[in-house]
PDB file of all heavy atoms in Angstrom:
ATOM      1  N   ASN X   1     -20.559   0.520 -10.643  1.00 74.00           N
ATOM      2  CA  ASN X   1     -19.438  -0.054 -10.142  1.00 74.00           C
ATOM      3  C   ASN X   1     -18.872   0.487  -8.845  1.00 74.00           C
ATOM      4  O   ASN X   1     -19.153   1.645  -8.590  1.00 74.00           O
ATOM      5  CB  ASN X   1     -18.293  -0.104 -11.123  1.00 74.00           C
ATOM      6  CG  ASN X   1     -18.606  -0.820 -12.383  1.00 74.00           C
ATOM      7  OD1 ASN X   1     -19.331  -1.792 -12.270  1.00 74.00           O
ATOM      8  ND2 ASN X   1     -18.244  -0.297 -13.494  1.00 74.00           N
ATOM      9  N   VAL X   2     -18.220  -0.352  -8.051  1.00 82.00           N
ATOM     10  CA  VAL X   2     -17.558   0.216  -6.895  1.00 82.00           C
ATOM     11  C   VAL X   2     -16.425   1.174  -7.418  1.00 82.00           C
ATOM     12  O   VAL X   2     -15.554   0.795  -8.247  1.00 82.00           O
ATOM     13  CB  VAL X   2     -17.003  -0.947  -6.047  1.00 82.00           C
ATOM     14  CG1 VAL X   2     -16.265  -0.286  -4.748  1.00 82.00           C
ATOM     15  CG2 VAL X   2     -18.013  -1.825  -5.581  1.00 82.00           C
ATOM     16  N   PRO X   3     -16.273   2.409  -6.821  1.00 87.00           N
ATOM     17  CA  PRO X   3     -15.285   3.321  -7.253  1.00 87.00           C
ATOM     18  C   PRO X   3     -13.844   2.686  -7.213  1.00 87.00           C
ATOM     19  O   PRO X   3     -13.579   2.084  -6.069  1.00 87.00           O
ATOM     20  CB  PRO X   3     -15.449   4.498  -6.307  1.00 87.00           C
ATOM     21  CG  PRO X   3     -16.842   4.465  -5.855  1.00 87.00           C
ATOM     22  CD  PRO X   3     -17.234   2.939  -5.773  1.00 87.00           C
ATOM     23  N   HIS X   4     -13.076   2.832  -8.223  1.00 87.00           N
ATOM     24  CA  HIS X   4     -11.727   2.318  -8.155  1.00 87.00           C
ATOM     25  C   HIS X   4     -10.875   2.939  -9.437  1.00 87.00           C
ATOM     26  O   HIS X   4     -11.531   3.498 -10.203  1.00 87.00           O
ATOM     27  CB  HIS X   4     -11.659   0.777  -8.452  1.00 87.00           C
ATOM     28  CG  HIS X   4     -12.253   0.272  -9.711  1.00 87.00           C
ATOM     29  ND1 HIS X   4     -13.701   0.223  -9.940  1.00 87.00           N
ATOM     30  CD2 HIS X   4     -11.571  -0.121 -10.808  1.00 87.00           C
ATOM     31  CE1 HIS X   4     -13.777  -0.268 -11.223  1.00 87.00           C
ATOM     32  NE2 HIS X   4     -12.649  -0.431 -11.810  1.00 87.00           N
ATOM     33  N   PHE X   5      -9.644   2.758  -9.330  1.00 87.00           N
ATOM     34  CA  PHE X   5      -8.736   3.156 -10.442  1.00 87.00           C
ATOM     35  C   PHE X   5      -8.596   2.053 -11.479  1.00 87.00           C
ATOM     36  O   PHE X   5      -8.406   0.819 -11.029  1.00 87.00           O
ATOM     37  CB  PHE X   5      -7.368   3.638  -9.901  1.00 87.00           C
ATOM     38  CG  PHE X   5      -7.442   4.914  -9.216  1.00 87.00           C
ATOM     39  CD1 PHE X   5      -7.336   4.991  -7.870  1.00 87.00           C
ATOM     40  CD2 PHE X   5      -7.554   6.116  -9.947  1.00 87.00           C
ATOM     41  CE1 PHE X   5      -7.287   6.233  -7.190  1.00 87.00           C
ATOM     42  CE2 PHE X   5      -7.532   7.306  -9.173  1.00 87.00           C
ATOM     43  CZ  PHE X   5      -7.419   7.352  -7.864  1.00 87.00           C
ATOM     44  N   GLY X   6      -8.670   2.420 -12.760  1.00 87.00           N
ATOM     45  CA  GLY X   6      -8.319   1.539 -13.889  1.00 87.00           C
ATOM     46  C   GLY X   6      -7.265   2.093 -14.704  1.00 87.00           C
ATOM     47  O   GLY X   6      -7.073   3.256 -14.812  1.00 87.00           O
ATOM     48  N   HIS X   7      -6.503   1.270 -15.501  1.00 87.00           N
ATOM     49  CA  HIS X   7      -5.465   1.618 -16.336  1.00 87.00           C
ATOM     50  C   HIS X   7      -6.107   2.313 -17.570  1.00 87.00           C
ATOM     51  O   HIS X   7      -7.152   1.785 -18.115  1.00 87.00           O
ATOM     52  CB  HIS X   7      -4.652   0.499 -16.760  1.00 87.00           C
ATOM     53  CG  HIS X   7      -3.677   0.129 -15.612  1.00 87.00           C
ATOM     54  ND1 HIS X   7      -3.967  -0.362 -14.489  1.00 87.00           N
ATOM     55  CD2 HIS X   7      -2.228   0.211 -15.586  1.00 87.00           C
ATOM     56  CE1 HIS X   7      -2.964  -0.593 -13.670  1.00 87.00           C
ATOM     57  NE2 HIS X   7      -1.785  -0.140 -14.371  1.00 87.00           N
ATOM     58  N   GLY X   8      -5.570   3.371 -18.012  1.00 82.00           N
ATOM     59  CA  GLY X   8      -6.121   4.038 -19.207  1.00 82.00           C
ATOM     60  C   GLY X   8      -6.261   3.226 -20.432  1.00 82.00           C
ATOM     61  O   GLY X   8      -7.287   3.375 -21.267  1.00 82.00           O
ATOM     62  N   ASP X   9      -5.287   2.298 -20.581  1.00 75.00           N
ATOM     63  CA  ASP X   9      -5.424   1.469 -21.842  1.00 75.00           C
ATOM     64  C   ASP X   9      -6.224   0.289 -21.614  1.00 75.00           C
ATOM     65  O   ASP X   9      -6.373  -0.598 -22.492  1.00 75.00           O
ATOM     66  CB  ASP X   9      -3.828   1.090 -22.220  1.00 75.00           C
ATOM     67  CG  ASP X   9      -3.168   0.357 -21.190  1.00 75.00           C
ATOM     68  OD1 ASP X   9      -3.845   0.160 -20.112  1.00 75.00           O
ATOM     69  OD2 ASP X   9      -2.015   0.114 -21.343  1.00 75.00           O
ATOM     70  N   GLY X  10      -6.710   0.153 -20.446  1.00 67.00           N
ATOM     71  CA  GLY X  10      -7.610  -0.963 -20.125  1.00 67.00           C
ATOM     72  C   GLY X  10      -6.926  -2.220 -19.738  1.00 67.00           C
ATOM     73  O   GLY X  10      -7.594  -3.268 -19.451  1.00 67.00           O
ATOM     74  N   GLU X  11      -5.676  -2.274 -19.616  1.00 74.00           N
ATOM     75  CA  GLU X  11      -4.824  -3.526 -19.194  1.00 74.00           C
ATOM     76  C   GLU X  11      -4.209  -3.381 -17.845  1.00 74.00           C
ATOM     77  O   GLU X  11      -3.453  -2.399 -17.737  1.00 74.00           O
ATOM     78  CB  GLU X  11      -3.729  -3.747 -20.311  1.00 74.00           C
ATOM     79  CG  GLU X  11      -3.005  -5.115 -20.126  1.00 74.00           C
ATOM     80  CD  GLU X  11      -3.904  -6.305 -20.407  1.00 74.00           C
ATOM     81  OE1 GLU X  11      -4.962  -6.092 -21.121  1.00 74.00           O
ATOM     82  OE2 GLU X  11      -3.530  -7.394 -19.894  1.00 74.00           O
ATOM     83  N   ALA X  12      -4.792  -4.042 -16.901  1.00 76.00           N
ATOM     84  CA  ALA X  12      -4.224  -3.935 -15.622  1.00 76.00           C
ATOM     85  C   ALA X  12      -2.793  -4.618 -15.509  1.00 76.00           C
ATOM     86  O   ALA X  12      -2.683  -5.675 -15.901  1.00 76.00           O
ATOM     87  CB  ALA X  12      -5.190  -4.531 -14.483  1.00 76.00           C
ATOM     88  N   CYS X  13      -1.900  -3.987 -14.798  1.00 79.00           N
ATOM     89  CA  CYS X  13      -0.585  -4.496 -14.675  1.00 79.00           C
ATOM     90  C   CYS X  13      -0.508  -5.652 -13.539  1.00 79.00           C
ATOM     91  O   CYS X  13       0.266  -6.461 -13.584  1.00 79.00           O
ATOM     92  CB  CYS X  13       0.394  -3.409 -14.256  1.00 79.00           C
ATOM     93  SG  CYS X  13       0.170  -2.694 -12.669  1.00 79.00           S
ATOM     94  N   GLY X  14      -1.440  -5.499 -12.518  1.00 76.00           N
ATOM     95  CA  GLY X  14      -1.547  -6.517 -11.571  1.00 76.00           C
ATOM     96  C   GLY X  14      -0.655  -6.287 -10.393  1.00 76.00           C
ATOM     97  O   GLY X  14      -0.803  -7.068  -9.352  1.00 76.00           O
ATOM     98  N   SER X  15       0.157  -5.316 -10.336  1.00 80.00           N
ATOM     99  CA  SER X  15       0.982  -5.021  -9.190  1.00 80.00           C
ATOM    100  C   SER X  15       0.652  -3.878  -8.473  1.00 80.00           C
ATOM    101  O   SER X  15       1.311  -3.584  -7.366  1.00 80.00           O
ATOM    102  CB  SER X  15       2.499  -5.025  -9.596  1.00 80.00           C
ATOM    103  OG  SER X  15       3.001  -6.199 -10.276  1.00 80.00           O
ATOM    104  N   GLY X  16      -0.352  -3.103  -8.872  1.00 83.00           N
ATOM    105  CA  GLY X  16      -0.707  -1.885  -8.301  1.00 83.00           C
ATOM    106  C   GLY X  16      -1.183  -2.034  -6.797  1.00 83.00           C
ATOM    107  O   GLY X  16      -0.569  -1.362  -5.923  1.00 83.00           O
ATOM    108  N   PRO X  17      -2.064  -2.825  -6.480  1.00 84.00           N
ATOM    109  CA  PRO X  17      -2.498  -3.031  -5.030  1.00 84.00           C
ATOM    110  C   PRO X  17      -1.347  -3.293  -3.983  1.00 84.00           C
ATOM    111  O   PRO X  17      -1.355  -2.810  -2.933  1.00 84.00           O
ATOM    112  CB  PRO X  17      -3.530  -4.072  -5.168  1.00 84.00           C
ATOM    113  CG  PRO X  17      -4.084  -4.158  -6.620  1.00 84.00           C
ATOM    114  CD  PRO X  17      -2.906  -3.693  -7.436  1.00 84.00           C
ATOM    115  N   GLU X  18      -0.497  -4.324  -4.488  1.00 84.00           N
ATOM    116  CA  GLU X  18       0.650  -4.605  -3.616  1.00 84.00           C
ATOM    117  C   GLU X  18       1.568  -3.479  -3.436  1.00 84.00           C
ATOM    118  O   GLU X  18       1.951  -3.229  -2.260  1.00 84.00           O
ATOM    119  CB  GLU X  18       1.485  -5.763  -4.279  1.00 84.00           C
ATOM    120  CG  GLU X  18       2.615  -6.187  -3.339  1.00 84.00           C
ATOM    121  CD  GLU X  18       3.468  -7.197  -4.116  1.00 84.00           C
ATOM    122  OE1 GLU X  18       3.203  -7.588  -5.326  1.00 84.00           O
ATOM    123  OE2 GLU X  18       4.569  -7.522  -3.632  1.00 84.00           O
ATOM    124  N   THR X  19       1.872  -2.683  -4.475  1.00 84.00           N
ATOM    125  CA  THR X  19       2.686  -1.607  -4.375  1.00 84.00           C
ATOM    126  C   THR X  19       2.038  -0.521  -3.441  1.00 84.00           C
ATOM    127  O   THR X  19       2.696   0.086  -2.729  1.00 84.00           O
ATOM    128  CB  THR X  19       3.035  -1.083  -5.694  1.00 84.00           C
ATOM    129  OG1 THR X  19       3.539  -1.995  -6.569  1.00 84.00           O
ATOM    130  CG2 THR X  19       3.930   0.291  -5.694  1.00 84.00           C
ATOM    131  N   VAL X  20       0.681  -0.363  -3.664  1.00 85.00           N
ATOM    132  CA  VAL X  20       0.067   0.697  -2.715  1.00 85.00           C
ATOM    133  C   VAL X  20       0.247   0.246  -1.293  1.00 85.00           C
ATOM    134  O   VAL X  20       0.493   1.128  -0.507  1.00 85.00           O
ATOM    135  CB  VAL X  20      -1.432   0.714  -3.124  1.00 85.00           C
ATOM    136  CG1 VAL X  20      -2.171   1.498  -2.057  1.00 85.00           C
ATOM    137  CG2 VAL X  20      -1.628   1.447  -4.468  1.00 85.00           C
ATOM    138  N   LEU X  21       0.015  -1.068  -0.899  1.00 84.00           N
ATOM    139  CA  LEU X  21       0.153  -1.488   0.521  1.00 84.00           C
ATOM    140  C   LEU X  21       1.528  -1.272   0.911  1.00 84.00           C
ATOM    141  O   LEU X  21       1.808  -0.751   1.972  1.00 84.00           O
ATOM    142  CB  LEU X  21      -0.174  -2.971   0.674  1.00 84.00           C
ATOM    143  CG  LEU X  21      -1.676  -3.291   0.530  1.00 84.00           C
ATOM    144  CD1 LEU X  21      -1.916  -4.795   0.673  1.00 84.00           C
ATOM    145  CD2 LEU X  21      -2.419  -2.586   1.597  1.00 84.00           C
ATOM    146  N   HIS X  22       2.551  -1.543   0.159  1.00 83.00           N
ATOM    147  CA  HIS X  22       3.983  -1.280   0.409  1.00 83.00           C
ATOM    148  C   HIS X  22       4.292   0.192   0.781  1.00 83.00           C
ATOM    149  O   HIS X  22       4.787   0.557   1.857  1.00 83.00           O
ATOM    150  CB  HIS X  22       4.950  -1.775  -0.641  1.00 83.00           C
ATOM    151  CG  HIS X  22       5.282  -3.202  -0.452  1.00 83.00           C
ATOM    152  ND1 HIS X  22       4.695  -4.205  -1.356  1.00 83.00           N
ATOM    153  CD2 HIS X  22       6.250  -3.753   0.280  1.00 83.00           C
ATOM    154  CE1 HIS X  22       5.118  -5.320  -1.044  1.00 83.00           C
ATOM    155  NE2 HIS X  22       6.066  -5.283  -0.080  1.00 83.00           N
ATOM    156  N   LEU X  23       3.686   1.118  -0.173  1.00 85.00           N
ATOM    157  CA  LEU X  23       3.855   2.438   0.115  1.00 85.00           C
ATOM    158  C   LEU X  23       3.241   2.987   1.231  1.00 85.00           C
ATOM    159  O   LEU X  23       3.804   3.832   1.965  1.00 85.00           O
ATOM    160  CB  LEU X  23       3.365   3.203  -1.218  1.00 85.00           C
ATOM    161  CG  LEU X  23       4.176   2.975  -2.509  1.00 85.00           C
ATOM    162  CD1 LEU X  23       3.576   3.549  -3.702  1.00 85.00           C
ATOM    163  CD2 LEU X  23       5.737   3.311  -2.478  1.00 85.00           C
ATOM    164  N   LEU X  24       1.947   2.580   1.570  1.00 85.00           N
ATOM    165  CA  LEU X  24       1.253   3.129   2.656  1.00 85.00           C
ATOM    166  C   LEU X  24       1.907   2.579   3.885  1.00 85.00           C
ATOM    167  O   LEU X  24       1.860   3.319   4.975  1.00 85.00           O
ATOM    168  CB  LEU X  24      -0.276   2.599   2.530  1.00 85.00           C
ATOM    169  CG  LEU X  24      -1.039   3.319   1.471  1.00 85.00           C
ATOM    170  CD1 LEU X  24      -2.459   2.854   1.291  1.00 85.00           C
ATOM    171  CD2 LEU X  24      -1.169   4.911   1.730  1.00 85.00           C
ATOM    172  N   ALA X  25       2.342   1.253   3.892  1.00 82.00           N
ATOM    173  CA  ALA X  25       2.962   0.791   5.067  1.00 82.00           C
ATOM    174  C   ALA X  25       4.266   1.568   5.401  1.00 82.00           C
ATOM    175  O   ALA X  25       4.517   1.883   6.585  1.00 82.00           O
ATOM    176  CB  ALA X  25       3.412  -0.750   4.863  1.00 82.00           C
ATOM    177  N   LYS X  26       4.978   1.951   4.342  1.00 82.00           N
ATOM    178  CA  LYS X  26       6.223   2.710   4.597  1.00 82.00           C
ATOM    179  C   LYS X  26       5.861   4.168   5.175  1.00 82.00           C
ATOM    180  O   LYS X  26       6.558   4.701   5.936  1.00 82.00           O
ATOM    181  CB  LYS X  26       6.978   2.899   3.334  1.00 82.00           C
ATOM    182  CG  LYS X  26       7.587   1.560   2.815  1.00 82.00           C
ATOM    183  CD  LYS X  26       8.218   1.682   1.382  1.00 82.00           C
ATOM    184  CE  LYS X  26       8.672   0.385   0.905  1.00 82.00           C
ATOM    185  NZ  LYS X  26       9.384   0.472  -0.467  1.00 82.00           N
ATOM    186  N   GLU X  27       4.764   4.722   4.758  1.00 83.00           N
ATOM    187  CA  GLU X  27       4.278   6.043   5.214  1.00 83.00           C
ATOM    188  C   GLU X  27       4.103   6.016   6.670  1.00 83.00           C
ATOM    189  O   GLU X  27       4.226   7.036   7.384  1.00 83.00           O
ATOM    190  CB  GLU X  27       3.042   6.461   4.498  1.00 83.00           C
ATOM    191  CG  GLU X  27       3.282   6.960   3.051  1.00 83.00           C
ATOM    192  CD  GLU X  27       1.989   7.677   2.463  1.00 83.00           C
ATOM    193  OE1 GLU X  27       0.899   7.657   3.189  1.00 83.00           O
ATOM    194  OE2 GLU X  27       2.062   7.934   1.271  1.00 83.00           O
ATOM    195  N   VAL X  28       3.451   4.791   7.139  1.00 83.00           N
ATOM    196  CA  VAL X  28       3.218   4.683   8.587  1.00 83.00           C
ATOM    197  C   VAL X  28       4.375   5.034   9.436  1.00 83.00           C
ATOM    198  O   VAL X  28       4.174   5.729  10.493  1.00 83.00           O
ATOM    199  CB  VAL X  28       2.652   3.266   8.848  1.00 83.00           C
ATOM    200  CG1 VAL X  28       2.572   3.081  10.330  1.00 83.00           C
ATOM    201  CG2 VAL X  28       1.277   3.013   8.171  1.00 83.00           C
ATOM    202  N   PHE X  29       5.554   4.646   9.006  1.00 82.00           N
ATOM    203  CA  PHE X  29       6.737   4.724   9.895  1.00 82.00           C
ATOM    204  C   PHE X  29       7.436   6.092   9.822  1.00 82.00           C
ATOM    205  O   PHE X  29       8.276   6.451  10.605  1.00 82.00           O
ATOM    206  CB  PHE X  29       7.784   3.690   9.471  1.00 82.00           C
ATOM    207  CG  PHE X  29       7.426   2.375  10.015  1.00 82.00           C
ATOM    208  CD1 PHE X  29       6.620   1.452   9.103  1.00 82.00           C
ATOM    209  CD2 PHE X  29       7.609   1.889  11.272  1.00 82.00           C
ATOM    210  CE1 PHE X  29       6.423   0.205   9.567  1.00 82.00           C
ATOM    211  CE2 PHE X  29       7.354   0.689  11.581  1.00 82.00           C
ATOM    212  CZ  PHE X  29       6.593  -0.226  10.866  1.00 82.00           C
ATOM    213  N   ARG X  30       6.870   7.133   8.907  1.00 82.00           N
ATOM    214  CA  ARG X  30       7.438   8.358   8.891  1.00 82.00           C
ATOM    215  C   ARG X  30       7.128   9.259  10.137  1.00 82.00           C
ATOM    216  O   ARG X  30       7.972  10.224  10.299  1.00 82.00           O
ATOM    217  CB  ARG X  30       6.941   9.084   7.619  1.00 82.00           C
ATOM    218  CG  ARG X  30       7.513   8.442   6.286  1.00 82.00           C
ATOM    219  CD  ARG X  30       7.004   9.182   5.138  1.00 82.00           C
ATOM    220  NE  ARG X  30       7.365   8.497   3.920  1.00 82.00           N
ATOM    221  CZ  ARG X  30       8.661   8.654   3.407  1.00 82.00           C
ATOM    222  NH1 ARG X  30       9.576   9.360   3.919  1.00 82.00           N
ATOM    223  NH2 ARG X  30       9.026   7.928   2.219  1.00 82.00           N
ATOM    224  N   THR X  31       6.175   8.742  10.881  1.00 82.00           N
ATOM    225  CA  THR X  31       5.797   9.552  12.154  1.00 82.00           C
ATOM    226  C   THR X  31       6.342   8.883  13.290  1.00 82.00           C
ATOM    227  O   THR X  31       5.908   9.359  14.454  1.00 82.00           O
ATOM    228  CB  THR X  31       4.409   9.643  12.175  1.00 82.00           C
ATOM    229  OG1 THR X  31       3.720   8.394  12.294  1.00 82.00           O
ATOM    230  CG2 THR X  31       3.706  10.351  10.966  1.00 82.00           C
ATOM    231  N   ASN X  32       7.308   7.928  13.161  1.00 85.00           N
ATOM    232  CA  ASN X  32       7.937   7.194  14.290  1.00 85.00           C
ATOM    233  C   ASN X  32       6.893   6.660  15.237  1.00 85.00           C
ATOM    234  O   ASN X  32       6.983   6.972  16.434  1.00 85.00           O
ATOM    235  CB  ASN X  32       8.898   8.058  15.113  1.00 85.00           C
ATOM    236  CG  ASN X  32       9.998   8.781  14.184  1.00 85.00           C
ATOM    237  OD1 ASN X  32      10.424   8.056  13.245  1.00 85.00           O
ATOM    238  ND2 ASN X  32      10.467   9.866  14.438  1.00 85.00           N
ATOM    239  N   PRO X  33       5.971   5.811  14.694  1.00 88.00           N
ATOM    240  CA  PRO X  33       4.950   5.252  15.727  1.00 88.00           C
ATOM    241  C   PRO X  33       5.481   4.152  16.554  1.00 88.00           C
ATOM    242  O   PRO X  33       6.501   3.524  16.217  1.00 88.00           O
ATOM    243  CB  PRO X  33       3.992   4.795  14.698  1.00 88.00           C
ATOM    244  CG  PRO X  33       4.813   4.309  13.424  1.00 88.00           C
ATOM    245  CD  PRO X  33       5.862   5.291  13.421  1.00 88.00           C
ATOM    246  N   PRO X  34       4.690   3.693  17.435  1.00 90.00           N
ATOM    247  CA  PRO X  34       5.015   2.539  18.358  1.00 90.00           C
ATOM    248  C   PRO X  34       4.750   1.272  17.520  1.00 90.00           C
ATOM    249  O   PRO X  34       3.636   1.215  16.797  1.00 90.00           O
ATOM    250  CB  PRO X  34       4.181   2.543  19.601  1.00 90.00           C
ATOM    251  CG  PRO X  34       2.932   3.433  19.134  1.00 90.00           C
ATOM    252  CD  PRO X  34       3.547   4.425  18.158  1.00 90.00           C
ATOM    253  N   LEU X  35       5.648   0.160  17.542  1.00 88.00           N
ATOM    254  CA  LEU X  35       5.391  -0.955  16.866  1.00 88.00           C
ATOM    255  C   LEU X  35       5.368  -2.190  17.752  1.00 88.00           C
ATOM    256  O   LEU X  35       6.242  -2.254  18.762  1.00 88.00           O
ATOM    257  CB  LEU X  35       6.640  -1.144  15.838  1.00 88.00           C
ATOM    258  CG  LEU X  35       6.740  -2.439  15.021  1.00 88.00           C
ATOM    259  CD1 LEU X  35       5.624  -2.484  14.133  1.00 88.00           C
ATOM    260  CD2 LEU X  35       8.078  -2.423  14.386  1.00 88.00           C
ATOM    261  N   LEU X  36       4.487  -3.190  17.422  1.00 90.00           N
ATOM    262  CA  LEU X  36       4.528  -4.362  18.240  1.00 90.00           C
ATOM    263  C   LEU X  36       5.469  -5.419  17.641  1.00 90.00           C
ATOM    264  O   LEU X  36       5.190  -5.837  16.452  1.00 90.00           O
ATOM    265  CB  LEU X  36       3.004  -4.929  18.275  1.00 90.00           C
ATOM    266  CG  LEU X  36       2.964  -6.245  19.044  1.00 90.00           C
ATOM    267  CD1 LEU X  36       3.115  -6.167  20.466  1.00 90.00           C
ATOM    268  CD2 LEU X  36       1.447  -6.855  18.727  1.00 90.00           C
ATOM    269  N   LEU X  37       6.460  -5.728  18.361  1.00 90.00           N
ATOM    270  CA  LEU X  37       7.353  -6.754  17.864  1.00 90.00           C
ATOM    271  C   LEU X  37       6.905  -8.177  18.294  1.00 90.00           C
ATOM    272  O   LEU X  37       6.330  -8.366  19.304  1.00 90.00           O
ATOM    273  CB  LEU X  37       8.756  -6.489  18.550  1.00 90.00           C
ATOM    274  CG  LEU X  37       9.457  -5.229  18.104  1.00 90.00           C
ATOM    275  CD1 LEU X  37      10.874  -5.112  18.813  1.00 90.00           C
ATOM    276  CD2 LEU X  37       9.705  -5.120  16.558  1.00 90.00           C
ATOM    277  N   PRO X  38       7.065  -9.159  17.407  1.00 92.00           N
ATOM    278  CA  PRO X  38       6.566 -10.495  17.825  1.00 92.00           C
ATOM    279  C   PRO X  38       7.282 -11.202  18.819  1.00 92.00           C
ATOM    280  O   PRO X  38       8.360 -10.800  19.195  1.00 92.00           O
ATOM    281  CB  PRO X  38       6.618 -11.241  16.382  1.00 92.00           C
ATOM    282  CG  PRO X  38       7.788 -10.586  15.670  1.00 92.00           C
ATOM    283  CD  PRO X  38       7.657  -9.174  16.137  1.00 92.00           C
ATOM    284  N   LYS X  39       6.604 -12.251  19.412  1.00 91.00           N
ATOM    285  CA  LYS X  39       7.294 -13.085  20.328  1.00 91.00           C
ATOM    286  C   LYS X  39       8.512 -13.853  19.653  1.00 91.00           C
ATOM    287  O   LYS X  39       8.330 -14.021  18.530  1.00 91.00           O
ATOM    288  CB  LYS X  39       6.375 -14.076  21.162  1.00 91.00           C
ATOM    289  CG  LYS X  39       5.664 -15.010  20.141  1.00 91.00           C
ATOM    290  CD  LYS X  39       4.732 -15.864  20.866  1.00 91.00           C
ATOM    291  CE  LYS X  39       4.116 -16.820  19.767  1.00 91.00           C
ATOM    292  NZ  LYS X  39       3.152 -17.737  20.546  1.00 91.00           N
TER     293      LYS X  39
END
């Protein structure tokens, strides 16, 4: 298998990947980076 995390009880909650993207996206701004604002 491709390496990944699974729930210990074998039942996936389904929200983990979205939550990870949210958390990682928030981490990006902790270093005050430049941001491209849309037109």
Side-chain angles (χ1 to χ4, degrees):
N1 295 327
V2 177
H4 64 279
F5 285 105
H7 285 67
D9 56 5
E11 186 70 20
C13 68
S15 301
E18 176 187 358
T19 303
V20 168
L21 287 181
H22 274 96
L23 293 175
L24 291 176
K26 294 173 183 179
E27 283 187 4
V28 170
F29 286 94
R30 294 184 182 278
T31 59
N32 300 328
L35 172 68
L36 176 64
L37 295 179
K39 61 183 180 180

